[in-house]
Amino acid sequence: MAGHDGSEQARAAVDWAAEEAGSRGCALAVVQVVHWPPPGPHLVPGTEEAEQQLTARTHAEALLADIAEELGKSRPELTVRTSVESGRTGEALTRAAEQAELLVIGASGQGALPRVVLGSTAAELLHSCARPVVVVRSTDSYAESGPVVVGVDGSDISSAAIAFAYDFADRHHRELLAVHAWADLPMHVAEPVSGWAEDWQDTSRRGQRVLADALASHSERHPEVVVRRTVSIDRPARALLDTADGAALLVVGSHGRGTLGRLLLGSVSHAMVYHAPCPVAVVHPPTKS
């Protein structure tokens, strides 16, 4: 499912979602939410409230019809469904996504630094939507053959992200880069000092064990996925950003800490959505019944 609001970022999200729906062999639902009162240019002076609502809905339906027609020409094999919902955008999209496999949205925002500005709706959905949320910008720059990057911290939360990343990499024939960040080195130390070398070797070995344990069962289910593993002494956010340049997708867990108590992954998921130079998937752990 893709959320649409008429913006350039939202259209980029729809195109990304169409590609993903095709690879999954499922239909694409494109949903636009009509606020009331609608913002800015949707107001029609001199008309009654009911007529204004009808005008806003008609405008949204026309936008969605154009999108469905364009996708029908470029992807005739893809079933596209459109709908216009009413209410608060975050709440309406959360409800609409309940039966979807994932929700794809644009990171809307204005200003000279578009990668630092995350739309309020996107920020809300990262908290409220139980489905994986993929955030796409029209300014995203990523290689068509780039790897899928996933953050690993040894927690159940990152396990859900790993499963998503393996599945995506398998279907899109991408390499998987698993990143484990160990942040014990003081951040004021630019380079590891000589006395740190022995400790770092031990830390690296432990990090590789965390990666091996976390990836083992997923590798068995996806034997054709080529996997690279890296352990970093940098902060998790910085380590992931460094590896995300040119990536097809960056996948992170929604929140949480690793089993060793020192590993931070989920706390950086919002930082990734704000700053990553590629589409970002934020994956929540399965709901426990």
Side-chain angles (χ1 to χ4, degrees):
M1 173 183 147
H4 185 260
D5 63 5
S7 68
E8 181 183 359
Q9 291 88 348
R11 185 50 207 266
V14 170
D15 290 339
W16 195 98
E19 173 74 18
E20 180 64 7
S23 76
R24 290 171 178 256
C26 63
L28 171 65
V30 185
V31 178
Q32 184 156 337
V33 181
V34 175
H35 302 268
W36 190 254
H42 297 299
L43 289 172
V44 183
T47 62
E48 297 296 327
E49 180 175 313
E51 293 176 344
Q52 290 183 330
Q53 292 187 38
L54 179 61
T55 298
R57 176 172 289 273
T58 300
H59 176 74
E61 289 173 345
L63 286 177
L64 295 182
D66 288 344
I67 289 173
E69 182 179 1
E70 291 174 12
L71 291 177
K73 293 177 180 177
S74 61
R75 297 178 177 277
E77 77 288 350
L78 180 65
T79 299
V80 180
R81 304 187 182 100
T82 64
S83 66
V84 178
E85 305 294 335
S86 300
R88 291 185 64 253
T89 303
E91 293 176 356
L93 287 178
T94 297
R95 288 194 303 269
E98 287 178 355
Q99 304 303 317
E101 293 189 18
L102 73 160
L103 171 62
V104 185
I105 56 175
S108 59
Q110 303 297 327
L113 297 175
R115 283 197 177 128
V116 181
V117 182
L118 180 69
S120 59
T121 297
E124 179 182 350
L125 287 167
L126 293 178
H127 291 285
S128 64
C129 187
R131 302 300 181 186
V133 178
V134 179
V135 181
V136 179
R137 297 177 183 81
S138 60
T139 53
D140 279 335
S141 175
Y142 58 97
E144 290 297 324
S145 59
V148 177
V149 178
V150 61
V152 179
D153 72 354
S155 69
D156 291 340
I157 291 166
S158 73
S159 181
I162 294 167
F164 186 96
Y166 262 94
D167 177 67
F168 186 93
D170 201 349
R171 284 183 289 103
H172 292 274
H173 309 289
R174 304 296 178 93
E175 180 183 60
L176 181 67
L177 176 56
V179 180
H180 174 73
W182 185 274
D184 276 353
L185 185 66
M187 288 299 104
H188 66 274
V189 180
E191 297 292 339
V193 295
S194 58
W196 176 257
E198 184 175 347
D199 289 339
W200 165 240
Q201 289 179 2
D202 181 60
T203 298
S204 180
R205 284 193 294 269
R206 282 186 284 172
Q208 289 292 344
R209 286 199 298 271
V210 170
L211 284 170
D213 291 343
L215 300 178
S217 61
H218 302 283
S219 293
E220 291 176 359
R221 287 191 290 271
H222 302 276
E224 295 185 0
V225 175
V226 176
V227 182
R228 287 190 291 127
R229 306 172 184 177
T230 181
V231 178
S232 172
I233 58 174
D234 214 335
R235 294 183 185 274
R238 192 180 304 167
L240 288 171
L241 287 175
D242 286 346
T243 55
D245 190 20
L249 181 69
L250 171 61
V251 187
V252 293
S254 59
H255 61 82
R257 289 180 178 268
T259 55
L260 299 179
R262 297 170 180 167
L263 312 180
L264 299 175
L265 169 64
S267 62
V268 304
S269 59
H270 281 68
M272 296 303 96
V273 172
Y274 274 71
H275 298 289
C278 65
V280 178
V282 179
V283 182
H284 296 262
T287 303
K288 295 181 179 179
S289 57

